[in-house]
Amino acid sequence: MILFKEAAALSQYLHQQRIAGKTVGFVPTMGALHAGHLSLIRQSKQESDLTVCSIFVNPTQFNNASDFQHYPVTIEKDMELLLTENCDILFLPPVSEIYPPSHVKEQFDLGTLETVLEGAFRPGHFQGVCEVVNRLLQIVEPHRLFMGQKDYQQCMVIRRLLELTGRKELELRIGSTQRDGDGLALSSRNLRLNAEERQQAPALFKALSYIKNNQSKADLAKLTKEAAAQLEAEGFVVDYITVCNALTLQPLQSEAEPKIALVAATINNIRLIDNLPFN
Ligand code: AMP
């Protein structure tokens, strides 16, 4: 695995590789790697000649200073995991390489994606995500970009970013959500859970499954209310638990629409999200 810390050096290297006919797959991450990240690395390795993983805890996407300060950093273990997966390139830039003085902040028109769910509860978050992904894509210029369905709304935001920036050739590949045996979606933030909170955390997936599994028996409004109550009984403060149109994330208008249940809830200041498509 080759380690790059400088954007220009990585760009130059990848430019040569593309000229030599190699395809490049890219997996952007914020580190504290787990099997969810590694599934994306594996998918990229299968579909690309060269796989680039970036680890960068992007300050501009945190709307909560404490969340940023407490974001887990496990860089040595991350490097070992990437070596085990035979990842080709690790990009580990300092903030100054991603946001040099010449960097100009853009505003991305994300439409209603920015005003619902994560957009509503984390003002500015998706602008920060677009800012960093746009910059990383300028540096890496991959053929394929690999992201996790765990961050469902983020995948939709990135699809929109690719449209807005005219990246028609770049393929966005979405990997399925990797979970622990008890259903808890793998997340770097799970590292912050103590033993008791870890026991409570699968309640998120249970609540989503409760709605999905009972959809034919009761109306969705009733089910989501009950699911929220289940989470609160486990000690969560619920930001939202809802079922909406899986293509737009707007409220449902009819029975026939594709549906997805999504949840965001906090336990002792640790905010977790999850989702479960219905079909
Ligand atoms: P992060 O390090 O949290 O920014 O995540 C980096 C990438 O890994 C994003 O595309 C996430 O959606 C993806 N990811 C995070 N958790 C999981 C998971 N449990 N299963 C699959 N992909 C995931």
Side-chain angles (χ1 to χ4, degrees), residues 28-31 34 36-37 39-40 71 146-151 154 175-179 185-188:
T29 82
M30 297 205 297
H34 51 66
H37 298 114
S39 69
L40 298 175
Y71 200 84
F146 295 84
M147 306 202 87
Q149 185 173 289
K150 156 79 171 36
D151 298 283
Q154 174 170 275
S176 59
T177 302
Q178 305 298 302
R179 300 178 180 281
L186 300 180
S187 164
S188 304

Side-chain angles (χ1 to χ4, degrees), residues 194-204 231 234-236 267-268:
N194 66 27
E196 194 189 341
E197 292 153 1
R198 177 62 189 81
Q199 293 272 317
Q200 294 159 312
L204 286 178
L231 284 170
E234 277 289 349
F236 279 94
I267 191 151
N268 298 338

Side-chain angles (χ1 to χ4, degrees), residues 29-244:
T29 82
M30 297 205 297
L33 300 183
H34 51 66
H37 298 114
L38 301 184
S39 69
L40 298 175
I41 300 278
R42 254 169 248 156
Q43 204 181 336
S44 172
K45 292 237 9 139
Q46 270 170 17
E47 297 183 28
S48 331
D49 297 322
L50 280 176
T51 289
V52 181
C53 174
S54 64
I55 296 181
F56 179 66
V57 185
N58 174 37
T60 72
Q61 73 187 68
F62 284 84
N63 55 312
N64 176 322
S66 159
D67 189 25
F68 179 54
Q69 275 155 18
H70 291 107
Y71 200 84
V73 176
T74 60
I75 193 63
E76 277 171 26
K77 182 168 166 249
D78 292 351
M79 283 165 80
E80 276 171 31
L81 289 170
L82 291 173
L83 283 168
T84 311
E85 294 299 329
N86 289 319
C87 180
D88 301 290
I89 293 163
L90 169 59
F91 182 39
L92 189 61
V95 174
S96 57
E97 285 293 305
I98 298 298
Y99 303 124
S102 58
H103 173 74
V104 179
K105 203 176 172 78
E106 274 177 72
Q107 184 72 20
F108 298 94
D109 177 9
L110 303 176
T112 56
L113 278 178
E114 206 172 354
T115 57
V116 297
L117 308 174
E118 289 303 283
F121 280 90
R122 302 187 68 188
H125 167 63
F126 285 130
Q127 288 297 327
V129 168
C130 286
E131 182 178 30
V132 74
V133 172
N134 191 43
R135 174 80 180 117
L136 288 167
L137 291 177
Q138 284 165 357
I139 297 166
V140 177
E141 292 186 61
H143 297 86
R144 297 190 185 94
L145 173 63
F146 295 84
M147 306 202 87
Q149 185 173 289
K150 156 79 171 36
D151 298 283
Y152 189 88
Q153 190 172 1
Q154 174 170 275
C155 290
M156 293 178 71
V157 163
I158 295 304
R159 203 180 287 287
R160 173 99 182 119
L161 172 73
L162 300 186
E163 280 167 20
L164 288 171
T165 54
R167 291 185 170 99
K168 291 200 182 78
E169 309 288 296
L170 175 50
E171 293 176 39
L172 176 61
R173 292 272 204 268
I174 298 178
S176 59
T177 302
Q178 305 298 302
R179 300 178 180 281
D180 268 338
D182 57 11
L184 177 64
L186 300 180
S187 164
S188 304
R189 287 187 177 85
N190 295 353
L191 288 177
R192 294 184 53 204
L193 300 169
N194 66 27
E196 194 189 341
E197 292 153 1
R198 177 62 189 81
Q199 293 272 317
Q200 294 159 312
L204 286 178
F205 182 63
K206 277 192 202 132
L208 294 174
S209 305
Y210 175 78
I211 300 173
K212 182 176 174 180
N213 296 339
N214 290 293
Q215 56 176 306
S216 59
K217 294 182 210 139
D219 77 61
L220 290 171
K222 180 168 176 285
L223 291 171
T224 46
K225 232 178 180 175
E226 288 168 359
Q230 289 166 13
L231 284 170
E232 280 157 13
E234 277 289 349
F236 279 94
V237 175
V238 179
D239 279 353
Y240 59 81
I241 179 157
T242 185
V243 180
C244 48

